[in-house]
Amino acid sequence: MRVHPISPERLAELLADRIADLSADGRRTRVALDGAPAAGPGALADALVEPLRLRGRPVLRVSAADFLRPASVRLEYGHQDADAYHDSWLDDGALLREVLDPLEPGGTGRVLPTFWDPATDRATRAGYLELPPGGVLLLDGPLLLGRRLPFELTVHLALSPAALARRTAAEERWTLPAFARYQAETDPSALADLTVRCDDPRHPALIEP
């Protein structure tokens, strides 16, 4: 295992280089930025957009938060059930059907960027977008690994239990047992291609096997 302290800016450049290399043969590349909201996977995904475009890679940003199940399923056991959050909030089927499968080799490349609005509990009615060959999908969200979702690169943003508790908003602390379970049952750092330790977001560290 190699641990490399790195600046956030250099981290984005390094990841952009690796992703651009994966798509050099013209295939579409699906990248998962996995981590608790407190770890900022969405911010890292956003930080990769411009570096990838400068490397000639079209980019499509999608968030798992826009692919949740309806409230009748998601909140069946209440608004703060950590096991339900872990097991059944994400609509894996919709994410596969509308985002990941179309980007397989020979796929249409037509992606639905959002599917369900949890605020209104209705379909977003978004239009389809086409990611051209050589393009990159950046998908951010929590609890993405261990679900047999197809990605060409997975990056896990890791927090120690103390940092996770400290940086999780008070109204979201009920999710902490879900992340403890994720660590114990899935071990995302072992599954990810790359792990970024981000207890201090100003001073991340890249961990490679």
Side-chain angles (χ1 to χ4, degrees):
M1 180 182 294
R2 294 174 292 173
V3 180
H4 308 283
I6 192 170
S7 70
E9 296 77 16
R10 178 58 187 146
L11 175 63
E13 293 293 327
L14 186 152
L15 290 176
D17 282 341
R18 178 150 180 176
I19 295 165
D21 286 345
L22 288 172
S23 57
D25 61 358
R27 65 176 171 171
R28 300 178 180 95
T29 301
R30 298 162 293 187
V31 180
L33 288 306
D34 170 70
L44 179 56
D46 289 343
L48 289 171
V49 172
E50 189 59 22
L52 283 167
R53 286 178 176 161
L54 289 173
R55 288 161 174 79
R57 302 294 185 265
V59 178
L60 179 61
R61 278 283 289 112
V62 174
S63 292
D66 294 316
F67 284 81
L68 301 184
R69 289 192 168 95
S72 60
V73 177
R74 198 171 72 249
L75 306 179
E76 180 180 1
Y77 300 103
H79 287 257
Q80 297 187 351
D81 187 283
D83 285 331
Y85 179 75
H86 180 283
D87 294 336
S88 57
W89 275 41
L90 182 66
D91 192 336
D92 307 59
L95 195 56
L96 277 167
R97 182 179 67 252
E98 303 293 357
V99 179
L100 298 173
D101 284 350
L103 302 182
E104 290 280 356
T108 65
R110 294 182 71 248
V111 170
L112 192 65
T114 64
F115 179 73
W116 197 261
D117 184 343
T120 63
D121 201 35
R122 295 178 183 273
T124 63
R125 300 184 182 277
Y128 284 87
L129 301 175
E130 185 167 345
L131 185 65
V136 176
L137 167 75
L138 298 173
L139 173 71
D140 73 277
L143 310 172
L144 292 176
L145 304 184
R147 295 176 176 269
R148 299 185 180 181
L149 297 173
F151 299 104
E152 280 65 53
L153 183 70
T154 54
V155 182
H156 174 61
L157 276 61
L159 291 170
S160 68
L164 176 61
R166 182 175 65 251
R167 292 173 53 190
T168 297
E171 62 272 18
E172 300 297 329
R173 290 176 64 85
W174 64 270
T175 63
L176 294 178
F179 291 108
R181 183 179 160 198
Y182 186 51
Q183 181 62 39
E185 296 181 6
T186 302
D187 192 3
S189 293
L191 290 181
D193 296 305
L194 296 170
T195 295
V196 180
R197 175 68 65 181
C198 49
D199 285 3
D200 183 343
R202 300 165 299 176
H203 303 289
L206 182 63
I207 302 173
E208 297 182 90

